[in-house]
Amino acid sequence: MTSPARTGSALTDGSARTGFSRVGGDVALDLLNTVASRLAADGGRDLLEGYADVVAWCRACEIVDLAEAAALLAAADRAPLDAAAELVRVRDLREMSYEAVMSGDGPAGAQLAASYREAVGEETLVRRDGAWRWQASELGLATPRHRLAHAVTRLLTSERLGLVYQCEDETCGRVFLDTSPRRNRVWCAADTCGNRNRVRRHYYRRRQS
Ligand SMILES: [Zn+2]
């Protein structure tokens, strides 16, 4: 999804501060980036290992507020099996979203439409601060996933989808919105993939000379 003319990025990862990468530029892409080293031979590492990770990530991305996060964690403690099942659904939503963003067609569209319909089915339109917005009638374990379904379909149906690129690192696999003026961002983050690949290229150049 990238062109050879692309150059480095001044952006930094940010994961050292929050524990989760926010390089995507859109929460839907940050969701896809919760698999670290997605393109590695072993499939990378899932950062959403438990439902508590989903809540922590949603908090870091401001998908839930502090009180909602506390309520969700308490609900997960009360119903661990339900929380485990919900974790699987969040991961499924993430992977079908990745497929939809990266390959453009296939069954992912129908699955995402179903996720979106489920989300809206649980919500009602309320007016607050002069604008209408979807709001869950009741906070539940599925609330993060429902909000994510909104975020993903919002990106998929917007022109910003054309700005989505994947980091050129061999294994990283992170995706991001390239909003740089020349549309030439190569790496997800300068302080991780950018540095690593610059060092590697320098090493190869020295070996060749
Ligand atoms: Zn990267």
Side-chain angles (χ1 to χ4, degrees):
M1 294 188 78
T2 48
S3 71
R6 304 170 74 74
T7 61
S9 159
L11 293 180
T12 58
D13 185 325
S15 57
R17 289 187 301 279
T18 64
F20 291 109
S21 152
R22 298 292 311 276
V23 300
D26 185 292
V27 72
L29 299 179
D30 287 332
L31 172 67
L32 309 190
N33 294 340
T34 58
V35 178
S37 303
R38 179 185 274 283
L39 301 182
D42 64 358
R45 187 167 66 89
D46 200 322
L47 303 178
L48 304 180
E49 292 183 328
Y51 187 80
D53 297 322
V54 174
V55 175
W57 178 78
C58 285
R59 182 70 200 110
C61 295
E62 298 178 10
I63 291 167
V64 297
D65 64 26
L66 206 55
E68 288 173 331
L72 288 170
L73 289 174
D77 275 348
R78 284 194 302 273
L81 292 181
D82 291 346
E86 185 54 33
L87 168 67
V88 173
R89 292 189 200 103
V90 171
R91 287 173 166 176
D92 285 348
L93 173 69
R94 178 187 63 198
E95 295 313 306
M96 73 176 89
S97 304
Y98 181 76
E99 194 181 318
V101 167
M102 301 306 289
S103 49
D105 50 17
Q111 290 173 308
L112 283 170
S115 294
Y116 180 79
R117 278 194 292 272
E118 183 192 327
V120 172
E122 299 290 324
E123 295 167 353
T124 182
L125 265 178
V126 295
R127 185 164 183 160
R128 192 188 299 158
D129 302 328
W132 290 89
R133 63 190 69 195
W134 290 106
Q135 183 174 295
S137 356
E138 199 177 328
L139 187 80
L141 291 172
T143 300
R145 177 167 51 90
H146 292 159
R147 292 180 186 173
L148 290 170
H150 278 283
V152 169
T153 50
R154 201 157 44 232
L155 175 66
L156 289 175
T157 55
S158 82
E159 289 182 356
R160 289 179 306 148
L161 189 63
L163 299 177
V164 176
Y165 289 89
Q166 189 160 39
C167 179
E168 287 195 13
D169 180 78
E170 266 185 353
T171 60
C172 168
R174 280 176 179 167
V175 287
F176 54 83
L177 283 183
D178 184 0
T179 53
S180 65
R182 294 171 59 204
R183 302 280 187 269
N184 59 355
R185 178 173 162 193
V186 171
W187 313 116
C188 63
D191 61 352
T192 52
C193 288
N195 270 343
R196 189 166 57 245
N197 284 278
R198 267 191 295 277
V199 168
R200 187 178 297 150
R201 285 173 186 186
H202 178 68
Y203 173 75
Y204 283 131
R205 269 200 301 274
R206 281 187 55 175
R207 271 175 62 104
Q208 283 165 358
S209 61

